[in-house]
Amino acid sequence: VLDGIVELKLTPIDVNTSLNLKDILFESGSAQLSEVSFSQLDRIVEVMITNPGMRVEISAHTDDIGSDAFNQSLSDKRAHSIVDYMVSHDIPDNNLVAKGYGEKKPVVPNDSEENRLKNRRVELKVLEVLN
């Protein structure tokens, strides 16, 4: 802040930009959003409202605990839960794609609880930005 002026560094929203959405949490083994998720989701809603031509994929990922089929189903339900929240906050559903990846795309090996935590995540990927 200099003489009451705040300088902000903004990152442009580019196609194929992916963001790990920290603080999007669920009850264990459930697609029920935890209360702490709502402030992060509300910020994403604001970005989407400010950029109405933006189309995004909401992807949910799990660790390797449980069967492949269970993890795939759980991640699909979690991605849809987030999309449902955003649609309920006036984001057009045609701007949102829900995609569950289950345990197929780990960011680190599932060889410790710390790593499993990193693999349980939600990401937002920009698919399209129209003006």
Side-chain angles (χ1 to χ4, degrees), residues 29-79:
S30 166
Q32 177 69 43
L33 284 161
S34 175
E35 288 285 324
V36 300
S37 304
F38 299 135
S39 62
Q40 173 81 12
L41 288 171
D42 291 342
R43 286 192 293 272
I44 296 165
V45 165
E46 286 300 316
V47 170
M48 297 289 295
I49 289 171
T50 304
N51 298 278
M54 189 166 63
R55 189 165 171 265
V56 301
E57 176 184 286
I58 302 295
S59 60
H61 303 264
T62 66
D63 59 26
D64 67 344
I65 302 296
S67 71
D68 290 352
F70 176 82
N71 286 334
Q72 183 61 52
S73 175
L74 179 61
S75 64
D76 283 334
K77 289 175 186 174
R78 286 178 170 179

Side-chain angles (χ1 to χ4, degrees), residues 115-130:
N115 281 357
R116 286 186 184 94
L117 180 62
K118 291 175 185 175
N119 288 328
R120 294 189 299 263
R121 67 195 188 283
V122 174
E123 295 175 334
L124 178 146
K125 179 180 180 181
V126 179
L127 301 175
E128 188 174 29
V129 180
L130 301 174

Side-chain angles (χ1 to χ4, degrees), residues 13-115:
I13 299 171
D14 293 324
V15 173
N16 292 322
T17 298
S18 288
L19 304 170
N20 187 354
L21 302 178
K22 296 181 188 313
D23 300 325
I24 305 288
L25 304 174
F26 299 90
E27 301 300 323
S28 181
S30 166
Q32 177 69 43
L33 284 161
S34 175
E35 288 285 324
V36 300
S37 304
F38 299 135
S39 62
Q40 173 81 12
L41 288 171
D42 291 342
R43 286 192 293 272
I44 296 165
V45 165
E46 286 300 316
V47 170
M48 297 289 295
I49 289 171
T50 304
N51 298 278
M54 189 166 63
R55 189 165 171 265
V56 301
E57 176 184 286
I58 302 295
S59 60
H61 303 264
T62 66
D63 59 26
D64 67 344
I65 302 296
S67 71
D68 290 352
F70 176 82
N71 286 334
Q72 183 61 52
S73 175
L74 179 61
S75 64
D76 283 334
K77 289 175 186 174
R78 286 178 170 179
H80 280 92
S81 179
I82 293 165
V83 166
D84 291 346
Y85 179 89
M86 295 175 73
V87 168
S88 76
H89 286 77
D90 301 323
I91 302 303
D93 62 353
N94 61 338
N95 287 20
L96 303 165
V97 174
K99 180 74 175 156
Y101 288 97
E103 59 190 74
K104 294 177 192 150
K105 293 188 171 192
V107 291
V108 292
N110 281 299
D111 57 5
S112 69
E113 186 52 39
E114 181 181 336
N115 281 357

